[in-house]
Amino acid sequence: MDQSFKKQKVFTSEEEKTLKWDQIQLSFKKAFGNEVYNSWLQKISLLKEYNDYLVLGVPTRFFRDWIVSRYLDKILEEVKIFKLSLNRIEFKIIEENKQNQEIVKIDEISKVTEIKDSILNYNRLNPNLNFLNFVKGKSNDIALSYSKRVCEDISRYNPLYVCGGVGLGKTHLLNAIGLELQDNNNVMFISAERFMYHFIKSIKKNDMVNFKDFFRKSSVFIIDDIQFISGKESLQEEFFHTFNSLMDKGSQIVISSDRSPMKLDKVQDRIKSRLAGGLVVDIDAPDLELKIKIIKKKIEEIQTQFKESINLNDDVINYIAKESKTSVRELIGILNRVIAFGRVHNRTLNINDCKNILKDVFNQIKVITVDKIQNVVANYFNISLQDMLSQRRSRPLARPRQIAMFLAKKMTSRSLPEIGRRFANRDHTTVIHAVKTINRLSDQDDEMKKNINQIKSLLLEQ
Ligand code: ADP
Ligand code: MG
């Protein structure tokens, strides 16, 4: 199984719910104000939690559309404060009076139903990702200007292929193109992952004719994260035909990927050269100047949208910009944390506060690994790593093992199966059991709570 497939997690198994939904609801109330909260957000329930996405329940289709068009970004940001690894939210419509029953029953519903009801990434444009709020800088200037030109002069640059690392603004640009063109064109905006989902579904239902019609009737076809087709032969075949037929009828095609066409792994050569045949533009990592501009823009957006004043002085802004190294997504994540911290403590923050917050963020994002957790825990309990990972079940070994699994779940973004594998190939259900046990014990037992906190601070210090 290749990397991109794993990352996208189409048919992933559910993981244990670790989020405290009532706490998140509280933060919604603070962030959105009573009025919006009472009319909308309060009615959202948490149905399923996965490593990088959530399935939330809403009462009606209208309700869902309303929330998605107005509050989705902000909801995502708020939940991210509690769950760093989150990168998308899906909604499922459940009738209000059935909500409780539905939660119980949902495990029996096949994964396919869930995907059918989900709406993100599937031809829904996010109104908040437009050209106006895409901040221009040296690293994205060319990609931005050609994205705009495509909108003025359809099929002049065909396909337009936008490439760049994770979190640098590809989806934002593609979405902006879709928004700009949707009034006068039949715009199709889909991720390669979802394209595959529809493809498989149509094969199963023996309905390829509809599938072909559906995608080939668009006059603007925007496909996100094309690297996903890597290694999937029949999908590539279908994509190739769709691509050619769209090109033949003069439709504009826009594509994004984490790498340039020729560097796509396990993709047929004829497809690569087709993809490279139009215009390829890059987005690079942002420089300091752009990061600062983005922070200021985001602050401005939050202030106008939520009528809330945010006091971050230039020193703090510079500090955040300098410290965030990997992507715009990370930058925004950090900014949100800082803003949330300021809200909770209700005061203007200084650089020292930021240092502490960032220490936490970076430790969680980067430095803390499963290996490190295992070493620190084994050391703490004075047992050897080998014993801790062994199959022996005596309590002096089993407890530390469970604590290490629990911390691995809490402090890294690894999924349960991945954690299981790193503990001498244990099953993910063992990890779930460990997380539950330690959660329960640390609620009941002060000694356990103290141990966990000490280990956590050891991990954060290093
Ligand atoms: P990618 O698709 O390349 O992984 P996204 O388009 O999802 O990245 O961008 C990640 C986040 O950063 C999004 O919230 C997006 O709005 C924001 N972002 C990226 N670049 C910019 C920019 N130049 N100006 C404003 N926001 C940006
Ligand atoms: Mg993207």
Side-chain angles (χ1 to χ4, degrees):
M1 199 187 279
D2 66 73
Q3 214 43 41
S4 57
F5 187 83
K6 258 197 251 165
K7 216 170 61 199
Q8 303 280 354
K9 291 189 145 189
V10 191
F11 303 115
T12 173
S13 63
E14 189 192 3
E15 294 179 4
E16 195 221 12
K17 281 183 202 156
T18 52
L19 278 178
K20 299 214 162 58
W21 191 245
D22 40 346
Q23 272 182 19
I24 295 179
Q25 285 278 6
L26 265 182
S27 84
F28 285 166
K29 199 169 183 174
K30 267 205 192 107
F32 291 89
N34 279 342
E35 203 175 312
V36 172
Y37 177 76
N38 291 337
S39 340
W40 303 100
L41 304 171
Q42 196 183 22
K43 302 195 175 90
I44 305 177
S45 55
L46 173 64
L47 295 183
K48 287 195 175 194
E49 180 183 346
Y50 296 89
N51 195 29
D52 60 348
Y53 74 101
L54 300 181
V55 182
L56 303 182
V58 288
T60 61
R61 189 172 296 271
F62 171 74
F63 190 104
R64 176 192 73 188
D65 292 345
W66 184 273
I67 291 204
V68 168
S69 63
R70 286 169 177 75
Y71 309 123
L72 183 61
D73 268 13
K74 178 82 183 163
I75 291 177
L76 198 62
E77 280 173 17
E78 285 298 321
V79 184
K80 258 194 135 128
I81 295 172
F82 295 84
K83 189 178 172 72
L84 271 177
S85 55
L86 184 73
N87 61 38
R88 75 177 201 273
I89 288 179
E90 300 187 348
F91 288 94
K92 189 170 164 52
I93 296 152
I94 42 181
E95 285 170 44
E96 235 162 336
N97 53 1
K98 282 202 195 148
Q99 278 208 10
N100 288 332
Q101 286 154 295
E102 198 75 27
I103 292 171
V104 182
K105 278 195 314 200
I106 189 144
D107 283 340
E108 296 151 27
I109 297 171
S110 77
K111 297 280 178 300
V112 176
T113 321
E114 178 194 309
I115 291 170
K116 188 178 89 204
D117 280 348
S118 74
I119 55 145
L120 278 186
N121 298 340
Y122 173 52
N123 214 21
R124 293 277 173 152
L125 294 163
N126 179 340
N128 299 318
L129 302 177
N130 51 45
F131 283 131
L132 274 180
N133 59 21
F134 190 86
V135 185
K136 181 169 136 178
K138 284 196 196 93
S139 51
N140 62 29
D141 187 14
I142 292 178
L144 174 63
S145 65
Y146 280 100
S147 298
K148 284 184 173 164
R149 272 194 223 177
V150 158
C151 300
E152 285 155 15
D153 202 350
I154 287 194
S155 50
R156 166 124 187 242
Y157 307 100
N158 215 4
L160 176 71
Y161 186 104
V162 181
C163 57
V166 178
L168 298 182
K170 301 181 296 294
T171 301
H172 190 139
L173 273 185
L174 263 56
N175 193 94
I177 295 175
L179 286 176
E180 197 73 19
L181 292 175
Q182 70 177 350
D183 288 344
N184 300 319
N185 297 277
N186 182 359
V187 173
M188 172 70 60
F189 174 60
I190 192 165
S191 66
E193 171 195 357
R194 197 148 289 270
F195 185 76
M196 180 175 94
Y197 163 70
H198 283 281
F199 175 58
I200 293 174
K201 200 175 81 175
S202 315
I203 295 176
K204 281 193 187 145
K205 282 174 43 192
N206 224 342
D207 196 16
M208 280 309 287
V209 177
N210 266 333
F211 175 88
K212 287 181 203 291
D213 278 1
F214 186 64
F215 287 105
R216 292 177 194 183
K217 68 175 190 244
S218 57
S219 60
V220 176
F221 183 68
I222 307 177
I223 184 155
D224 204 4
D225 290 324
I226 195 73
Q227 71 276 4
F228 184 79
I229 67 172
S230 152
K232 304 179 180 75
E233 282 294 326
S234 52
L235 181 67
Q236 288 183 22
E237 201 61 38
E238 188 52 43
F239 173 74
F240 187 65
H241 293 308
T242 306
F243 184 100
N244 286 338
S245 117
L246 287 167
M247 288 290 275
D248 286 347
K249 71 181 198 105
S251 299
Q252 173 70 47
I253 299 177
V254 184
I255 297 160
S256 83
S257 170
D258 64 354
R259 65 202 79 176
S260 65
M262 288 311 175
K263 290 205 176 120
L264 287 170
D265 269 349
K266 297 192 215 132
V267 170
Q268 298 164 17
D269 286 340
R270 57 179 187 157
I271 296 186
K272 289 191 206 173
S273 51
R274 267 308 222 165
L275 293 176
L279 181 70
V280 178
V281 289
D282 267 334
I283 308 186
D284 266 333
D287 60 11
L288 188 66
E289 192 186 334
L290 176 57
K291 286 193 279 189
I292 291 175
K293 272 203 217 161
I294 292 176
I295 295 179
K296 292 190 168 161
K297 178 87 181 170
K298 285 281 152 196
I299 293 179
E300 195 186 295
E301 277 172 30
I302 297 173
Q303 298 199 129
T304 40
Q305 198 178 356
F306 300 103
K307 307 201 170 40
E308 171 188 354
S309 92
I310 291 170
N311 293 319
L312 291 185
N313 62 37
D314 282 351
D315 285 349
V316 167
I317 292 177
N318 276 326
Y319 183 79
I320 299 174
K322 270 199 196 115
E323 289 302 306
S324 141
K325 304 250 163 25
T326 60
S327 72
V328 180
R329 183 174 296 138
E330 181 198 67
L331 179 75
I332 296 173
I334 292 174
L335 175 66
N336 286 332
R337 283 238 169 175
V338 172
I339 292 174
F341 187 89
R343 249 184 227 139
V344 173
H345 296 270
N346 208 1
R347 65 180 163 87
T348 310
L349 303 183
N350 57 37
I351 291 202
N352 248 341
D353 294 324
C354 288
K355 272 190 188 150
N356 284 329
I357 299 166
L358 292 193
K359 196 166 130 199
D360 217 33
V361 174
F362 285 130
N363 279 329
Q364 281 194 48
I365 296 177
K366 292 180 194 148
V367 190
I368 306 235
T369 59
V370 177
D371 277 351
K372 188 160 169 186
I373 292 173
Q374 290 174 338
N375 279 310
V376 171
V377 172
N379 250 335
Y380 182 87
F381 289 104
N382 228 343
I383 55 178
S384 76
L385 188 59
Q386 209 181 0
D387 282 345
M388 191 176 85
L389 299 182
S390 72
Q391 302 299 327
R392 288 161 54 195
R393 292 178 179 203
S394 65
R395 165 107 15 126
L397 299 179
R399 271 292 180 263
R401 186 182 300 138
Q402 288 180 320
I403 292 179
M405 287 182 187
F406 166 84
L407 289 172
K409 180 64 202 149
K410 296 278 169 199
M411 300 180 87
T412 74
S413 59
R414 300 271 161 223
S415 68
L416 293 165
E418 278 173 314
I419 295 174
R421 275 196 290 280
R422 280 152 192 262
F423 281 78
N425 255 333
R426 286 178 162 80
D427 192 57
H428 74 283
T429 51
T430 311
V431 187
I432 294 178
H433 178 69
V435 174
K436 277 189 185 149
T437 309
I438 304 301
N439 252 335
R440 178 170 46 80
L441 288 178
S442 58
D443 276 341
Q444 296 165 351
D445 177 355
D446 284 342
E447 184 66 19
M448 177 62 90
K449 197 183 280 167
K450 201 181 83 201
N451 286 342
I452 302 263
N453 283 336
Q454 280 177 353
I455 298 171
K456 264 192 192 160
S457 43
L458 282 174
L459 282 161
L460 293 172
E461 266 164 26
Q462 289 192 350

